[in-house]
Amino acid sequence: MTDATSPTDPPTTLDPASIVRSKAYLSALVLAALIGIPISVVAYGFLALAGWLQTYLFGDLPSGLFDGTTPAWWPVPWLALSGLLVALTISRLPGTAGHPPSLGFQTGTGPAAGRDLPGILVAALATLGLGAVLGPEAPLIAIGGGLAALTVRLVKRDAPPMAVTIMASAGSFAAVSTLLGSPLLGAFLIMEAAGIAGATLSLVALPGLLASGIGALVFVGMDAWTGLGTFSLALPIVPPGATPTISSLLWAIPVGILGAVLGWAIRWVGLSVRPYVHRNRVPVTVALGVLIGLCATMFQVTTGHSFTQVLFSGQDALPELVADAAGYSLGVLLLLGLFKGIAYGLSLSAFRGGPVFPAMFIGAVLGITVSGLTGMELAAAIGTGIGATCCAMLRLPLTSVLLATLLMGTDGLLITPQVVVAVVVSFVVTAVLPTPGPSLSAEAD
C-alpha cells in the first residue's frame, strides 16, 4: 500500500492563472481595494499625529517658553520620557509592541494579532514623536497588516490562512503606499523583506498593488482636505546627475565598503546593548533615551546646528541636508554622522520603529562627505552612500538600489551604475564581516 505522502507522488503546485480567474480571488481583489481605504486613513492619521508631536514638542513649545534659540538640553527629558513610555508599553501591554528593530527589517512572520495593535501604536508614537532615531515604516506595515487580518477574521472566522495572508499584505501595502515616495517602492520593500517569490508573488502582489494604489489616492485626498502633507519622502532640490565615468564607478567601491562598515558598527551598538535592555527594561530604556538626547545636545553645542538633525528618522531633515550640502564643513558632517549613528544604534536596541529612513540619512551624510573627491559628483556620491548604507542595515540589495535611485528623481537613472556597484560591494562586505554584537538571546523581546 502506497503512503499518501510518498515521494513518487507529484508535488502539489499552485496554478496562479486558475486562481486569478476564480470568483474567490476576484472577491479578494475587491476586498483589498475596500480595505485599502480605511487603512490608508488610519496610516495618514498616525503620520499626522507623530508629525504634530514632533513639531509641537520640539518647535512650538520651546519657542513659547524661551527667547531665541531652543536650549541644547531640551531633547534630554523628552527622550527619557520616550524610553519610559516605550518600556512600559512593551512590558505591560499584550505583545511586544512590534518587531525589535535591532534584529533587522522583518515582515514575513505573519500579521500582528488584534490585541497587539494598541501596543504597536503607543510604542511607535512614543518613539517617533519624542525624538528617537527610527522611522515609521515598520509600525505602519504592522498596523496595516494587523488591521486587515483582523477585518478578514471578523468577516469570516474560518477564513483560510492564504486569504488572511493576502489581505494582511494588502493592508501593509496600503499603509506605506506613498511613504517612500512611490507605491511601487513600498510594495517592493515588503515583498523582498518577506522573501515572497514564485507563484505566491503573483497572488499576493495583485491585491497588494491595488490596495497600494488606492492608498496613494487616499493620501493625496487627505492632503487636499487637511493640508497636512502627503508624508512622502521627496527631494525638492536634487543635485544634477552626470554620465557615469570610470572614476565615479571606481569610487563606488570604497563607498560600498564604508557603508558596510558603518552599518556593521551601528548594528553592533544596537545588538550589544540589547541584552542589557532584557535584564532591566524600564531603567535601561530610560537611560538610553537620555544618551540619545545627549547625542543631540552635544551636536548642537559643538557645531551650532540644530539638535533636530540628530533626532527623529531623518525623513524631514534629508531634503534640507541635500539642498544645503555645500554649506556643511567636513568636521560638521563627521560629527553629524557620528552622533546620528550612535543615536540610531541606541534606538535600535530598545525602541520601536523602522530602520529605513535613518539609514538613508546617514548614507546621504556619507555621500556628501566623499563628494569632494576628484571624479566623484555630488549626485553619484549621495546615491552610492544611501544605497550602500541601506544595504548594510536592511540586507535587501534590490530595495536599496531603488531607494537610492528613485529618490534622486529623473537623474537617478544616470547614477544607477554607481549605485549598483556600491550596493553589491556593501552586500558582499556585510556578508563577510562577523555577526555584530553578542549572540542573540533566546529571551522574548
Side-chain angles (χ1 to χ4, degrees):
M1 180 174 177
T2 304
D3 185 74
T5 59
S6 170
T8 59
D9 292 340
T12 302
T13 58
L14 291 174
D15 182 6
S18 62
I19 294 177
V20 169
R21 290 194 298 266
S22 68
K23 182 178 178 180
Y25 190 79
L26 295 177
S27 299
L29 288 175
V30 174
L31 182 58
L34 294 176
I35 286 178
I37 297 173
I39 288 179
S40 299
V41 173
V42 171
Y44 187 93
F46 170 83
L47 293 171
L49 180 56
W52 177 84
L53 283 172
Q54 293 176 6
T55 301
Y56 177 74
L57 295 178
F58 295 91
D60 298 341
L61 182 59
S63 296
L65 294 176
F66 307 103
D67 294 329
T69 305
T70 302
W73 55 262
W74 184 254
V76 177
W78 295 112
L79 267 299
L81 177 61
S82 175
L84 177 63
L85 293 176
V86 171
L88 290 176
T89 300
I90 295 173
S91 58
R92 302 294 174 84
L93 292 183
T96 60
H99 296 298
S102 59
L103 301 184
F105 195 87
Q106 301 176 348
T107 63
T109 56
R115 64 187 182 89
D116 298 344
L117 293 177
I120 295 173
L121 180 64
V122 172
L125 285 175
T127 295
L128 303 175
L130 298 180
V133 186
L134 290 171
E137 68 283 353
L140 282 177
I141 290 171
I143 292 170
L147 287 176
L150 179 62
T151 302
V152 172
R153 293 189 178 108
L154 289 176
V155 172
K156 189 176 182 180
R157 291 185 177 276
D158 60 344
M162 177 60 78
V164 176
T165 299
I166 290 176
M167 288 300 103
S169 298
S172 296
F173 282 33
V176 295
S177 57
T178 65
L179 186 63
L180 297 173
S182 166
L184 182 60
L185 183 50
F188 200 91
L189 169 67
I190 295 172
M191 290 187 291
E192 187 179 14
I196 301 174
T200 305
L201 174 60
S202 301
L203 298 176
V204 172
L206 288 179
L209 290 173
L210 178 60
S212 184
I214 296 293
L217 290 176
V218 170
F219 269 62
V220 172
M222 293 294 290
D223 175 35
W225 181 45
T226 65
L228 296 176
T230 60
F231 304 105
S232 178
L233 179 64
L235 296 180
I237 300 177
V238 180
T243 303
T245 62
I246 297 297
S247 297
S248 63
L249 287 170
L250 291 176
W251 279 123
I253 297 175
V255 171
I257 296 173
L258 287 173
V261 173
L262 187 57
W264 184 94
I266 293 170
R267 291 170 55 217
W268 179 86
V269 171
L271 292 173
S272 297
V273 174
R274 188 169 178 264
Y276 299 99
V277 176
H278 282 297
R279 294 171 192 170
N280 212 338
R281 183 174 295 277
V282 173
V284 171
T285 308
V286 171
L288 292 176
V290 171
L291 290 176
I292 295 168
L294 288 175
C295 285
T297 295
M298 288 187 287
F299 175 73
Q300 179 163 313
V301 169
T302 55
T303 68
H305 289 259
S306 173
F307 55 68
T308 57
Q309 291 187 302
V310 171
L311 301 181
F312 311 122
S313 68
Q315 177 185 358
D316 295 331
L318 183 58
E320 179 182 352
L321 173 72
V322 173
D324 194 31
Y328 286 84
S329 67
L330 178 60
V332 170
L333 288 170
L334 292 175
L335 288 174
L336 178 57
L338 174 65
F339 288 126
K340 186 81 171 183
I342 295 174
Y344 183 20
L346 295 176
S347 298
L348 287 171
S349 66
F351 292 80
R352 288 296 184 263
V356 174
F357 289 116
M360 295 182 72
F361 185 90
I362 292 174
V365 173
L366 170 62
I368 295 171
T369 302
V370 302
S371 63
L373 296 171
T374 303
M376 191 57 152
E377 300 288 340
L378 179 59
I382 293 175
T384 53
I386 291 175
T389 308
C390 285
C391 185
M393 294 303 301
L394 306 179
R395 283 154 287 175
L396 303 175
L398 300 180
T399 298
S400 299
V401 171
L402 290 177
L403 283 170
T405 54
L406 293 182
L407 180 66
M408 305 302 289
T410 55
D411 287 337
L413 295 176
L414 293 174
I415 64 170
T416 300
Q418 297 97 312
V419 172
V420 169
V421 171
V423 167
V424 170
V425 171
S426 177
F427 187 79
V428 171
V429 173
T430 300
V432 170
L433 289 172
T435 301
S439 59
L440 296 180
S441 170
E443 183 180 357
D445 204 285

